[in-house]
Amino acid sequence: MGQKVGRQSFRFNKPPVIAAAANIVGPMEGEGPLAAQFDWIMDDPLFGEPTWERAESKMLRESAKLALRKINWQPREIDFFLAGDLLNQIISANFAARGLDVPFLGLFGACSTFAEALMLGGMVIDGGFAARVLVASGSHHNTAERQFRFPIEQGVQRLPYAQWTVTGAGALALADQGGGPVITEGTAGKVVDLGISDVNNMGAAMAPAAADTLISHFQDLGRSPAEYDLILTGDLGTVGSAALKDLMKMQGYLLEGNYCDCGMLIYDLARQDVHAGGSGCGCSSVVFTGSIWKQLNEGRYRKVLLAATGALMSSTSSQQGETIPGIAHAVVVESPNLA
Amino acid sequence: MGQKVGRQSFRFNKPPVIAAAANIVGPMEGEGPLAAQFDWIMDDPLFGEPTWERAESKMLRESAKLALRKINWQPREIDFFLAGDLLNQIISANFAARGLDVPFLGLFGACSTFAEALMLGGMVIDGGFAARVLVASGSHHNTAERQFRFPIEQGVQRLPYAQWTVTGAGALALADQGGGPVITEGTAGKVVDLGISDVNNMGAAMAPAAADTLISHFQDLGRSPAEYDLILTGDLGTVGSAALKDLMKMQGYLLEGNYCDCGMLIYDLARQDVHAGGSGCGCSSVVFTGSIWKQLNEGRYRKVLLAATGALMSSTSSQQGETIPGIAHAVVVESPNLA
């Protein structure tokens, strides 16, 4: 049974447990600074499939199966699978669910989907509707480029403030009991649009939504940024992260040494040619499942605030002159030692 | 606090109330047999906007606002807005949420989205995370045609078993207390794919998922079809409904006089040139909010099972030779007289 706190936040009375985490990433992510944290690094972005779209769906399905395998859960023991991705009609998640034979709830929150799934997954458990839930999200650089921008074969020059869609998928197995980090609180985001219309500058479009959700979180729960070991945004990249820090500072909240962005952790920005950093539904999901979950589980982090951010436009809305609305959902995950 | 029942079903311990219902439909839906049940019939499918996409989003936003207005709720009193639509990256719902200033959770279940939203909306209320929730889904014939099939200006001949995407949006206001029909139980669907690949035959692609969810529902809850005043599928149309009846009969379940499909109720199939009937995220949402909610509220129906159905493909997946997976989510709504 949960409890609402303030305008946008809530608290779990019996915090759901994150029993297992798994991920699969592409070759480039496997050459980045988090390489040692990933379960499975693909040699080839096609992953043995005839198309990148099928490869993306397979990553999502296999990461979900891998999370189950780590704790010896069977698909038939899972009450709900909550997942989403960036592709039109979230085909990666739909086709991944087809192979799992588990009740499925499709979500779309663009790159905020991982936090949305974690939040809703926790709610159905603490609400009494499920004992075991699987959540996942993923993205693929090559499918996202051809859907939102240009086919990669075209070799279009990328802008310096553009981000690089992560090829990867991450999954978490949630339970109503057992060992593992716990989800204690969350803040659901509003759609925020300050009028950015440059589809190459997702960081700037999402930063106002991240600031809105983080400030709501601190206000609703009467908390300061310093109370977290880590505040982690999903995929703002260098441009969006700098904008977020400025926006927060204007409201009296300092994001200093305990703040980072998944899009800046996943690649070596000096060496890998990804411009402003990583993005995509897979960015926060592979960084959280690969690195953060482990550090929480081992007690190296005690309390982490994950605020995944999404840009809610489509090619059609941009072509029709619309600006880019953003959203951010935040969840608090705590070390099992504190629970 | 909820309770899981069997493999896929659940029960609300304190059933959430559907306090208000509202909808907006297009001119053609306003000439159909349910015309008198709709709140707002648009004269023009552009709804005063420069594009059909903007009109679709406006329908969704205005139907949500209308549901609030009927019971004098303010947007700032709403804990969550759960919505989705058929467009790429669910831009209709995203842009509708931008105008509402309410915490937003985007969903994608194709034409099953309305039942998915009702199910999850009920869960967050009964789970203690919200007191008031708004759910909505919608679709627009002209945006769906150009996204999934052919631009309507092209005048392509439609196949006799094709369905007609409904132009319309429906919204429900859910609460933890008060008067109105109540949501008592539900069954979450699995993704089912029997290999249909004809994108003009959505009914056939979705019927196996509808059968799977209905049979799970009856088995989980130990119930027979005769216990409902009405069993209503979302948008199977004439072809899919006939297939569903056959599939159910093979498993020993007879869908007789108490069975109907929203896609067959919304148009006059003999007079309006819609071939196999209506479809789209707006189909079940406007039929339920327009006709069914009222009849439940007035006690003319006591117990209704709404099973909204979705076809989970995209243009890309079909062009890449994939078959069409389907899904169906079911919710039980009971008259306030029984609650």
Side-chain angles (χ1 to χ4, degrees):
Chain A
M1 193 77 182
Q3 185 192 337
K4 223 204 134 188
V5 185
R7 174 74 187 99
Q8 292 174 236
S9 303
F10 58 88
R11 182 170 287 137
F12 294 110
N13 285 345
K14 189 182 172 221
V17 176
I18 310 181
N23 50 63
I24 299 175
V25 299
M28 208 166 118
E29 291 70 22
E31 289 167 7
L34 299 180
Q37 311 298 323
F38 298 129
D39 291 313
W40 188 343
I41 298 169
M42 306 187 298
D43 282 331
D44 174 353
L46 274 172
F47 208 10
E49 294 292 318
T51 67
W52 292 316
E53 285 74 13
R54 287 200 195 202
E56 179 175 332
S57 185
K58 185 177 172 184
M59 281 195 297
L60 203 55
R61 185 177 69 245
E62 293 304 319
S63 69
K65 283 162 66 179
L66 191 52
L68 297 188
R69 216 171 299 138
K70 286 185 178 188
I71 43 175
N72 290 313
W73 286 5
Q74 296 292 328
R76 65 181 152 76
E77 297 172 312
I78 308 304
D79 299 315
F80 293 102
F81 176 44
L82 285 88
D85 59 87
L86 287 173
L87 294 187
N88 298 343
Q89 290 73 54
I90 61 164
I91 48 169
S92 298
N94 298 336
F95 286 92
R98 183 177 67 177
L100 283 175
D101 196 34
V102 169
F104 171 64
L105 300 171
L107 306 179
F108 184 83
C111 311
S112 75
T113 302
F114 189 64
E116 183 185 354
L118 200 48
M119 194 163 71
L120 278 169
M123 285 178 176
V124 300
I125 289 176
D126 195 35
F129 299 94
R132 293 181 174 186
V133 167
L134 203 52
V135 303
S137 73
S139 52
H140 195 300
H141 180 75
N142 300 1
T143 67
E145 285 300 305
R146 75 169 161 203
Q147 179 178 280
F148 289 111
R149 284 165 288 259
F150 301 96
I152 58 161
E153 296 88 340
Q154 218 168 311
V156 169
Q157 179 78 12
R158 297 166 60 80
L159 287 159
Y161 49 87
Q163 291 171 250
W164 186 274
T165 306
V166 166
T167 298
L172 295 172
L174 313 182
D176 62 345
Q177 55 187 311
V182 290
I183 323 169
T184 53
E185 292 149 337
T187 301
K190 293 176 179 176
V191 175
V192 176
D193 188 341
L194 296 192
I196 302 286
S197 60
D198 180 351
V199 293
N200 292 296
N201 198 350
M202 289 295 147
M206 296 188 287
D212 191 75
T213 297
L214 288 177
I215 290 169
S216 297
H217 179 80
F218 297 135
Q219 288 179 345
D220 286 346
L221 294 157
R223 204 163 282 168
S224 77
E227 291 175 59
Y228 292 97
D229 295 331
L230 178 67
I231 296 170
L232 191 65
T233 47
D235 60 343
L236 294 178
T238 54
V239 175
S241 291
L244 172 66
K245 283 188 196 179
D246 284 348
L247 290 167
M248 296 294 288
K249 199 173 175 184
M250 282 158 60
Q251 302 285 322
Y253 293 93
L254 288 183
L255 294 182
E256 299 290 350
N258 65 341
Y259 167 69
C260 207
D261 181 75
C262 296
M264 293 163 70
L265 291 172
I266 189 165
Y267 299 117
D268 180 338
L269 300 188
R271 192 178 51 81
Q272 292 181 294
D273 189 27
V274 295
H275 303 306
S279 68
C281 286
C283 186
S284 57
S285 73
V286 304
V287 171
F288 187 85
T289 56
S291 167
I292 312 302
W293 181 84
K294 282 174 199 159
Q295 296 190 63
L296 278 159
N297 204 35
E298 292 160 5
R300 268 179 283 157
Y301 286 136
R302 288 169 309 143
K303 194 166 183 166
V304 171
L305 178 61
L306 172 70
T309 41
L312 301 176
M313 87 299 172
S314 77
S315 302
T316 303
S317 67
S318 293
Q319 284 160 9
Q320 292 182 351
E322 274 285 6
T323 52
I324 303 170
I327 197 163
H329 298 299
V331 285
V332 179
V333 187
E334 300 188 26
S335 154
N337 302 327
L338 281 184
Chain B
M1 195 76 182
Q3 185 191 337
K4 223 204 133 188
V5 185
R7 175 74 188 100
Q8 292 174 237
S9 303
F10 57 87
R11 181 170 287 138
F12 294 109
N13 285 345
K14 190 183 172 221
V17 177
I18 309 180
N23 50 62
I24 299 177
V25 298
M28 208 166 118
E29 292 70 22
E31 288 167 8
L34 298 181
Q37 311 299 323
F38 297 129
D39 290 313
W40 188 342
I41 298 168
M42 305 188 298
D43 282 333
D44 174 352
L46 274 173
F47 207 12
E49 294 292 318
T51 67
W52 293 316
E53 285 75 12
R54 288 201 194 201
E56 180 176 331
S57 185
K58 185 177 173 184
M59 281 195 297
L60 203 54
R61 185 177 70 243
E62 293 303 319
S63 69
K65 284 162 66 179
L66 192 52
L68 298 187
R69 215 171 299 138
K70 286 184 178 189
I71 44 176
N72 290 314
W73 287 4
Q74 296 292 329
R76 66 181 150 76
E77 297 172 312
I78 308 305
D79 299 315
F80 293 101
F81 176 45
L82 285 89
D85 59 87
L86 287 174
L87 294 187
N88 298 344
Q89 290 74 53
I90 62 164
I91 47 169
S92 299
N94 297 337
F95 285 91
R98 183 177 66 177
L100 284 176
D101 196 33
V102 169
F104 171 64
L105 299 170
L107 306 178
F108 183 83
C111 311
S112 74
T113 302
F114 190 64
E116 184 185 353
L118 201 47
M119 194 162 72
L120 277 169
M123 285 178 176
V124 300
I125 289 176
D126 195 35
F129 299 95
R132 293 181 173 184
V133 168
L134 203 51
V135 303
S137 74
S139 52
H140 194 301
H141 180 74
N142 300 1
T143 67
E145 285 300 305
R146 76 169 161 202
Q147 179 177 281
F148 289 111
R149 284 165 288 261
F150 302 96
I152 57 161
E153 296 88 339
Q154 217 168 312
V156 169
Q157 179 79 12
R158 297 167 61 80
L159 287 158
Y161 49 86
Q163 291 172 249
W164 187 272
T165 306
V166 166
T167 298
L172 294 172
L174 312 183
D176 62 345
Q177 55 187 312
V182 289
I183 322 169
T184 53
E185 290 149 339
T187 302
K190 292 176 180 176
V191 175
V192 175
D193 187 340
L194 296 193
I196 302 286
S197 59
D198 180 352
V199 292
N200 292 296
N201 197 350
M202 289 293 148
M206 296 189 286
D212 192 76
T213 296
L214 288 177
I215 290 168
S216 296
H217 180 81
F218 297 135
Q219 287 179 346
D220 287 346
L221 294 156
R223 205 163 282 168
S224 77
E227 292 175 58
Y228 292 97
D229 295 331
L230 178 67
I231 296 170
L232 190 65
T233 45
D235 59 343
L236 294 178
T238 54
V239 175
S241 291
L244 172 66
K245 284 189 196 178
D246 285 348
L247 289 167
M248 296 294 288
K249 199 174 174 183
M250 283 158 59
Q251 302 285 323
Y253 293 92
L254 289 182
L255 294 182
E256 299 289 351
N258 64 342
Y259 167 69
C260 206
D261 180 75
C262 296
M264 293 164 72
L265 290 173
I266 190 165
Y267 299 117
D268 181 337
L269 300 187
R271 193 177 51 81
Q272 293 181 294
D273 188 25
V274 295
H275 304 306
S279 68
C281 286
C283 186
S284 57
S285 73
V286 305
V287 171
F288 186 84
T289 55
S291 168
I292 312 302
W293 182 84
K294 282 175 200 160
Q295 296 189 63
L296 278 158
N297 205 35
E298 292 161 4
R300 267 179 284 157
Y301 287 135
R302 288 170 309 144
K303 195 166 183 166
V304 171
L305 178 61
L306 172 69
T309 40
L312 301 176
M313 88 297 174
S314 77
S315 302
T316 303
S317 68
S318 293
Q319 284 160 9
Q320 292 182 351
E322 274 285 7
T323 52
I324 303 171
I327 197 164
H329 298 299
V331 285
V332 179
V333 187
E334 300 188 27
S335 153
N337 302 327
L338 279 184

